[in-house]
Amino acid sequence: MTRNPRRSDLNADLAPAVPQAVLRASTNLTTVGNIGFWVQIVVGAFAVVTFLFASMGLTFGQDRTTGIEAGIISAFISLILLCVGIYFSVRYRQLGRQLQNADNHPRRADILQLIRWGLLINLAGMGMAIIGAAAISGIVLVKSLSIPQGTLAANPKQFVQSIDLLAIQANTNTIIAHFTGLLSSLWLLDRIHK
């Protein structure tokens, strides 16, 4: 009995094979893109919610903390850069899928360039979050040191409030999210560069 080859078998034999190194790069991009995306989304969501509560209380509340605007602006810029960093994680996943296509996959130089841009975005975002955290922490520290110990009759605006600490927590969450993006980009840069 002779077996009639099916059309799909013929097409599979004629299709060019994807090299093993390209498949490894595809797996790395897809996996790291997924991990980076989800960690940044989850931690970033906590940061955004915390930041919204903190910024409303710190800038518009009755017990508004004086001088906190610079820290809040830095934190806001960092959150915008986090959104761009999340976009780069999505692009890593897309590039991983495109690499599985033997006919039309992106060039290695283009992938490396995209990873470098993702690295720079997360680095800038982390820097802005650190500046924001340092500004807010400094203001909170000055606030706590300005009240003499044992004083109960001070103005309530002078006491450190939970909303002040919430702003620091929002910046810390943003730093963690950007750090995840940095790790993802650095790991991919190392793996793809080999």
Side-chain angles (χ1 to χ4, degrees):
M1 274 202 239
T2 59
R3 183 175 168 249
N4 287 335
R6 287 187 273 180
R7 180 178 278 273
S8 62
D9 291 339
L10 288 175
N11 288 340
D13 292 338
L14 295 176
V18 178
Q20 196 64 24
V22 174
L23 287 176
R24 252 191 328 273
S26 170
T27 302
N28 287 336
L29 281 165
T30 305
T31 303
V32 172
N34 279 330
I35 292 169
F37 173 79
W38 285 110
V39 171
Q40 286 180 317
I41 282 287
V42 170
V43 177
F46 285 125
V48 167
V49 169
T50 309
F51 175 75
L52 287 175
F53 283 123
S55 64
M56 292 299 179
L58 289 173
T59 54
F60 302 117
Q62 296 173 337
D63 300 329
R64 185 178 164 276
T65 303
T66 308
I68 203 87
E69 293 84 8
I72 289 182
I73 289 171
S74 294
F76 181 71
I77 292 170
S78 177
L79 286 172
I80 290 172
L81 290 172
L82 179 60
C83 293
V84 177
I86 291 170
Y87 166 76
F88 276 95
S89 290
V90 171
R91 285 292 298 141
Y92 298 157
R93 290 177 2 187
Q94 290 172 347
L95 285 174
R97 289 188 198 113
Q98 288 174 0
L99 279 176
Q100 294 174 358
N101 182 2
D103 295 331
N104 186 20
H105 59 79
R107 296 179 315 139
R108 181 177 175 199
D110 294 338
I111 294 171
L112 288 172
Q113 184 66 26
L114 184 77
I115 293 171
R116 285 186 189 109
W117 275 107
L119 186 68
L120 289 173
I121 291 295
N122 282 304
L123 190 61
M126 189 174 186
M128 291 304 290
I130 290 170
I131 290 170
I136 294 170
S137 298
I139 290 170
V140 170
L141 179 64
V142 167
K143 200 176 187 184
S144 68
L145 293 175
S146 67
I147 301 171
Q149 288 187 344
T151 304
L152 295 176
N155 182 359
K157 276 179 74 172
Q158 293 176 312
F159 291 117
V160 174
Q161 300 168 5
S162 58
I163 200 86
D164 296 327
L165 301 176
L166 202 58
I168 295 170
Q169 182 63 44
N171 273 304
T172 304
N173 288 346
T174 308
I175 291 169
I176 293 168
H178 279 296
F179 184 70
T180 301
L182 277 173
L183 285 180
S184 300
S185 297
L186 284 172
W187 195 83
L188 283 172
L189 197 60
D190 178 60
R191 292 295 169 184
I192 304 292
H193 212 297
K194 289 182 178 181

